[in-house]
Amino acid sequence: MSRRIHTGLLLLLAAVLFCGAGQAVVTETLNETYHLGDYYTDILSVSAANDGGYYLGIIHDDILSLVKSDAKGNAIWSTNVTGSEFRLITTLSDGGCVYVTSLDTDTYLCRADQTGKIIYEIPLTGVGAGVQPVVINGNTIKFAGWFWETDTGFTQSFLLSDGTPANDQLSLPEGRIPVSMMKSGGDYVLVGGATSNVSAVSDEAWIMKIKDGGTVVWNTVIKTTSTEPEYYGPGSTAYALCEGEDGGYFVTGTTAPYNLSTAFGIIWASMISSDGTVTWEKEFRGAVPYGVAKLGDDYLIAGTGWNAPLWMTLTPAGALLQVVYPEVTGQFNSVAQVSSGSVVMSGWSYLTGSPDGYLVEITDDSVPAESPVPIAGIILGLSVAGIAAFIGSRRR
């Protein structure tokens, strides 16, 4: 890439809408903007690398680039890759990464080494992918996605070494389009909506646990619509999840099907027990959540709050602690756990007066400093090319 990434420290011009009593002190430890090309820059995905730096999935002037940075966000190298959007980047134990991109109605399952050399880019023709579509399990990549033509969800394994597909493709039950997946012991937990069709209503946000061989352990409906569908829209889709309390799961979503990008909707969150029971479910300010992570003893959700980059923190019981957003157009696309007390968020904003990439790390000061979170499978969120996110464009 001939154009250099320019980074600059910004003050967080943020509106704090609500601060709950007794919340932990959260400190902003990184705040960078990125400008590539002539028109726009959007950091679609972020992953914490095992050297203290970051992997960034960036789109700029219709060019998709995988960028490796140091701990301060300064670029070390960049490689142009196939696709028009990043779905996910996850760091591997060898220092390289697996990344997922999309182009039209195809998904690409890809791997690069720690120097930026592309090892493979495997096309999955006619396949869609969501926020957390892969989990690394030893020498295997487990993928969850859907077929656009038939609007059906499935999972399949691929060899990590060369991307060879296994003969284990499993169709999910009808009305189960997976948007995110995580490993839970020897099983997998998936969340999503009822359809990938942006012209239809997703009438169920769900969570499901399956065994590696495909047996469904439990299948739970979390939410069917917003409390005010006439204002926020009908339907519901689960977007992202992370580990919850006592072996359970923390899930967030909105009203619209995943692949319909819109500035309207209502963010909801839910705590699910280890047996699939909905412990609580609540609606919060904001439109679309693209990532979740544990932050100390609490939980962070990041996305868009009706045209602005937004993040919020909640207690394990669902009490709102804080809602923060810069008073400019933009959104957070991705969230990655750096440590148990630190989270990094990426996206885009108009903080500089133009649509530039935006990278922010926040730390819960009550959590002692520690080593980074174990790598492989720590990415928690992803979204559409941000330059169109606030105008209601459709994603295919």
Side-chain angles (χ1 to χ4, degrees):
M1 186 191 315
S2 61
R3 298 187 185 272
R4 180 174 173 269
I5 298 179
H6 301 280
T7 66
L9 182 64
L10 290 175
L11 294 177
L12 183 60
L13 306 176
V16 181
L17 300 183
F18 178 84
C19 290
Q23 71 180 79
V25 176
V26 175
T27 300
E28 182 183 287
T29 52
L30 180 69
N31 189 319
E32 296 287 336
T33 59
Y34 294 74
H35 185 81
L36 280 67
D38 299 319
Y39 301 106
Y40 68 91
T41 304
D42 187 2
I43 308 177
L44 295 169
S45 187
V46 61
S47 174
N50 56 7
D51 61 357
Y54 306 99
Y55 279 109
L56 307 174
I58 300 179
I59 187 169
H60 55 99
D61 298 353
D62 295 330
I63 298 171
L64 208 62
S65 298
L66 177 67
V67 177
K68 177 65 176 62
S69 82
D70 63 17
K72 295 182 179 180
N74 301 308
I76 298 172
W77 54 254
S78 62
T79 301
N80 291 346
V81 300
T82 300
S84 60
E85 299 177 22
F86 272 92
R87 292 292 190 247
L88 168 142
I89 307 171
T90 187
T91 304
L92 300 174
S93 58
D94 65 1
C97 67
V98 166
Y99 61 96
V100 179
T101 66
S102 67
L103 180 63
D104 297 324
T105 57
D106 299 335
T107 292
Y108 288 80
L109 183 62
C110 317
R111 181 179 177 183
D113 68 16
Q114 59 186 347
T115 69
K117 178 183 177 181
I118 297 173
I119 298 174
Y120 55 78
E121 292 185 328
I122 307 297
L124 306 179
T125 305
V127 169
V131 172
Q132 297 164 243
V134 301
V135 170
I136 308 300
N137 185 13
N139 296 319
T140 300
I141 303 172
K142 177 69 77 171
F143 174 84
W146 62 86
F147 294 105
W148 287 109
E149 185 175 357
T150 58
D151 193 26
T152 54
F154 73 97
T155 64
Q156 188 169 7
S157 300
F158 297 81
L159 281 180
L160 177 60
S161 59
D162 60 9
T164 300
N167 188 27
D168 67 346
Q169 188 177 110
L170 169 70
S171 295
L172 297 180
E174 183 178 356
R176 293 295 180 259
I177 302 298
V179 179
S180 286
M181 173 177 60
M182 64 176 282
K183 201 168 188 304
S184 180
D187 303 326
Y188 297 92
V189 177
L190 299 89
V191 299
T195 182
S196 61
N197 184 351
V198 296
S199 299
V201 173
S202 173
D203 56 7
E204 288 183 345
W206 53 268
I207 181 169
M208 176 171 56
K209 175 180 275 192
I210 62 173
K211 293 189 174 297
D212 199 21
T215 302
V216 176
V217 180
W218 44 256
N219 185 349
T220 301
V221 174
I222 304 172
K223 190 175 177 68
T224 57
T225 193
S226 62
T227 56
E228 298 179 88
E230 69 281 2
Y231 186 74
Y232 298 114
S236 196
T237 300
Y239 270 46
L241 80 162
C242 67
E243 293 182 3
E245 300 299 300
D246 302 321
Y249 314 94
F250 181 76
V251 184
T252 186
T254 188
T255 54
Y258 164 67
N259 43 290
L260 175 62
S261 64
T262 175
F264 301 98
I266 187 71
I267 289 175
W268 57 263
S270 181
M271 190 68 73
I272 310 296
S273 68
S274 59
D275 64 358
T277 302
V278 178
T279 303
W280 57 260
E281 178 270 312
K282 299 179 181 181
E283 293 179 351
F284 299 94
R285 191 199 192 295
V288 183
Y290 288 113
V292 296
K294 194 79 182 289
L295 183 62
D297 294 330
D298 304 316
Y299 295 87
L300 176 138
I301 299 173
T304 177
W306 302 305
N307 294 352
L310 174 146
W311 61 267
M312 68 180 75
T313 52
L314 312 175
T315 69
L320 182 63
L321 292 175
Q322 190 174 31
V323 181
V324 178
Y325 71 100
E327 296 179 316
V328 292
T329 301
Q331 73 179 46
F332 287 118
N333 297 321
S334 178
V335 178
Q337 194 97 41
V338 178
S339 68
S340 62
S342 185
V343 169
V344 64
M345 301 172 284
S346 72
W348 68 278
S349 79
Y350 268 94
L351 278 170
T352 60
S354 62
D356 290 336
Y358 190 33
L359 187 68
V360 176
E361 183 177 322
I362 59 174
T363 299
D364 182 342
D365 294 339
S366 68
V367 179
E370 60 175 33
S371 300
V373 167
I375 55 178
I378 60 173
I379 290 303
L380 300 171
L382 184 69
S383 81
V384 300
I387 194 67
F390 65 94
I391 59 175
S393 62
R394 290 186 176 180
R395 180 182 190 175
R396 283 299 298 266

